[in-house]
Amino acid sequence: PVAPACSIELWIISSMVMLACWIPVWLAYYPVIFAYDANTQLAQVISGGYSTHHPLLHTLWMGACMKLMYDRGGMNAGMALYAASQMLLMSVMLGWTVAEAARSCCCCRRRLGILAYAVFLAVFPVHAMLSVSATKDVVFAGFVMVCVMLIRRRDLPDLSKKAMMRTSIGIVASCTLMIAFRNNASYALALTILIMIASSLAGRRPVIRDGLIVSLVIGLAAGLIFTGGLKGILHAEPGSPREALSVPIQQISRVMALHGDELDAGLIEDVGVIMPDGAYERYDEHLSDPVKRLMNMKSPGTFVRAWVKLGLKYPGTYLDAWLFLTEGAWYVRDVSVSEIYGTGGGFGYLNTDVRPMPEGFEVTPAPVFPGLRNVLEHLTTDNAFLQVPVIRLIFAPATYVWALIAYLYVGTVKRRTKALRPCTLLLALLVTILFGPAMLVRYMYPYMLAPLLMIMGFDYDCA
């Protein structure tokens, strides 16, 4: 059978159902869930001093909403516009993924699975809360899923030249936007390309004739050019290199915390240079920020020397430091992702606290449904879900990571190489996350959207 065209009706219906289910949650947290890095990003807009520490495009988006509505209703109006626009964009992207999945699957059982997935997106409260959270990670996850689905479509057999061109353009556009919304996306894409090139060479296929690889390369280049252009236009300062050194910082800190009294004077002196005033004493095994903020990055040679020497002396401690930092990604009963900033009062599995802003720019919660807000707070900041067996696993990011790994394993055993290519991007992205500063739900959100791939299976039923 010939694959049917993507159903516009199903796309619209899926998007509208999600939107209808998410709007009450938005009103419960009206005007927006103003947590995470929203205040520091808007502070850049207010001051005019930009930094690439946070994605510039996302900062400009929030800033544009603020400026457009400030004279019409202050910060609340501006942030309500931002939340509504993000919620609409996410519903459109995820509605499209549902329609695209249904287009490529003729099997009734799989179509029922896709319907169940759509219901999951609409009613599982984490999706609704993140859709109105002022953080770039949510939209980034949406672009990841769009790119993954386009990669899968690009390998469909008998795809017309016109459809192939549209798909390639979509891959380039989604890659560009991924890079514009997360700084680690460029590394993930580069790793994806390298893996695909290695696979092509191993299969003795000409790389230059692989249209998917060419599209990804163009998308990577376009993303770097776009973000570089924004940086030049805004005269943005580069972000700190500390973020990329989160794992080494944790490793040195753990050694100092556990074995500091066993080290010779030279090593202690080196650590004192890079971690002044006993910064390592603030070591938190699940979060690099307490030490990272206090790091002295002016002596890179000293940092490398100390890191290598301590690693050779305490390799097991280094491994433990990395495993504790990444625990939320691989241990399904982990609680660190839910308690990393504490519990209650807007902190927990999801952050819903209201970040402080300069006078005149405060965001003031005005919930339309305070009862619903209280229920959601109990669930996601008091972490009530942890008390429910089995259900708690639906909230665990590691559940989705292991599902992806199982899917990759089965596909490898069955030699469904082509069907596994969309997973390459998710796998490469995971590598970059595992070297990040912490395991947060918002970082792992792409994997909570990825079950759609597993529902679709390895075969192209309608091809």
Side-chain angles (χ1 to χ4, degrees):
V2 179
C6 180
S7 170
I8 300 297
E9 292 82 4
L10 180 57
W11 181 3
I12 293 173
I13 292 171
S14 300
S15 299
M16 290 182 66
V17 170
M18 288 180 209
L19 201 59
C21 292
W22 294 350
I23 285 175
V25 175
W26 172 41
L27 295 177
Y29 282 97
Y30 189 86
V32 70
I33 296 180
F34 195 72
Y36 304 113
D37 302 311
N39 60 335
T40 57
Q41 289 181 257
L42 285 179
Q44 294 180 22
V45 178
I46 294 168
S47 67
Y50 292 91
S51 166
T52 60
H53 182 71
H54 301 294
L56 293 170
L57 184 60
H58 183 252
T59 300
L60 292 174
W61 177 13
M62 282 203 298
C65 291
M66 177 185 73
K67 292 177 179 179
L68 182 63
M69 300 301 293
Y70 189 82
D71 292 335
R72 297 173 173 83
M75 283 294 292
N76 272 24
M79 291 302 95
L81 176 61
Y82 171 79
S85 62
Q86 177 174 289
M87 183 171 53
L88 178 61
L89 177 60
M90 286 300 295
S91 67
V92 168
M93 286 196 290
L94 296 183
W96 177 84
T97 65
V98 169
E100 173 66 13
R103 178 198 66 79
S104 62
C105 289
C106 292
C107 173
C108 292
R109 185 176 58 186
R110 288 181 185 170
R111 286 201 165 195
L112 285 174
I114 292 166
L115 176 61
Y117 171 85
V119 172
F120 170 68
L121 292 177
V123 304
F124 188 49
V126 171
H127 300 301
M129 293 177 71
L130 286 176
S131 75
V132 294
S133 293
T135 174
K136 69 273 185 181
D137 303 280
V138 179
V139 178
F140 170 73
F143 287 131
V144 170
M145 275 308 297
V146 169
C147 189
V148 164
M149 295 299 289
L150 288 171
I151 289 173
R152 191 180 192 278
R153 183 203 282 183
R154 183 64 177 72
D155 279 337
L156 282 172
D158 302 323
L159 198 66
S160 69
K161 289 185 178 180
K162 188 176 180 180
M164 191 174 294
M165 179 60 68
R166 287 199 303 266
T167 303
S168 297
I169 292 172
I171 290 172
V172 171
S174 58
C175 288
T176 302
L177 290 167
M178 282 167 51
I179 294 172
F181 274 85
R182 279 293 303 178
N183 294 331
N184 63 322
S186 57
Y187 303 111
L189 277 171
L191 181 56
T192 299
I193 292 166
L194 289 176
I195 293 172
M196 288 190 177
I197 289 174
S199 177
S200 291
L201 293 176
R204 297 183 179 180
R205 298 185 301 273
V207 173
I208 195 65
R209 292 180 61 184
D210 191 323
L212 175 56
I213 294 177
V214 173
S215 297
L216 291 172
V217 170
I218 295 173
L220 174 60
L224 294 174
I225 292 170
F226 179 76
T227 53
L230 274 183
K231 178 181 177 181
I233 292 170
L234 298 173
H235 305 289
E237 295 293 325
S240 171
R242 292 181 178 89
E243 197 82 4
L245 297 173
S246 294
V247 171
I249 288 171
Q250 288 293 91
Q251 291 171 329
I252 294 173
S253 299
R254 187 172 183 85
V255 168
M256 292 301 297
L258 298 181
H259 307 288
D261 56 351
E262 304 170 9
L263 302 177
D264 59 57
L267 265 176
I268 293 176
E269 183 179 350
D270 283 347
V271 173
V273 171
I274 60 177
M275 296 181 175
D277 303 319
Y280 57 83
E281 295 176 0
R282 296 168 175 79
Y283 171 67
D284 180 332
E285 59 190 15
H286 293 113
L287 181 65
S288 69
D289 290 356
V291 179
K292 186 178 66 180
R293 292 191 187 103
L294 303 175
M295 287 288 295
N296 173 17
M297 303 305 298
K298 296 180 180 179
S299 302
T302 304
F303 181 93
V304 173
R305 181 170 64 246
W307 179 68
V308 171
K309 288 183 177 180
L310 291 174
L312 292 174
K313 192 173 179 66
Y314 299 102
T317 305
Y318 267 31
L319 177 60
D320 285 346
W322 182 65
L323 289 175
F324 275 116
L325 184 64
T326 60
E327 187 175 0
W330 55 265
Y331 183 41
V332 294
R333 298 200 63 183
D334 165 73
V335 296
S336 68
V337 294
S338 305
E339 301 175 352
I340 199 162
Y341 296 119
T343 57
F347 297 97
Y349 179 81
L350 295 178
N351 284 11
T352 60
D353 61 308
V354 180
R355 295 299 163 99
M357 287 290 289
E359 186 177 353
F361 294 93
E362 299 92 345
V363 174
T364 307
V368 178
F369 301 131
L372 177 58
R373 180 185 178 119
N374 291 339
V375 170
L376 294 172
E377 285 293 291
H378 182 58
L379 181 69
T380 61
T381 66
D382 295 336
N383 297 333
F385 72 90
L386 289 173
Q387 308 307 316
V388 187
V390 182
I391 296 298
R392 63 179 289 170
L393 299 180
I394 301 175
F395 288 81
T399 298
Y400 302 91
V401 173
W402 282 113
L404 176 65
I405 292 172
Y407 178 76
L408 286 166
Y409 173 76
V410 174
T412 302
V413 170
K414 290 187 173 184
R415 297 185 180 181
R416 299 293 197 271
T417 306
K418 183 177 288 188
L420 292 181
R421 296 227 286 180
C423 297
T424 307
L425 175 58
L426 291 168
L427 190 63
L429 179 63
L430 181 62
V431 172
T432 67
I433 294 173
L434 291 176
F435 286 90
M439 289 297 109
L440 303 177
V441 173
R442 61 190 178 104
Y443 294 165
M444 302 298 293
Y445 191 45
Y447 303 94
M448 299 181 75
L449 300 176
L452 181 60
L453 270 181
M454 296 138 220
I455 294 170
M456 295 169 70
F458 302 110
D459 300 316
Y460 298 99
D461 293 339
C462 296

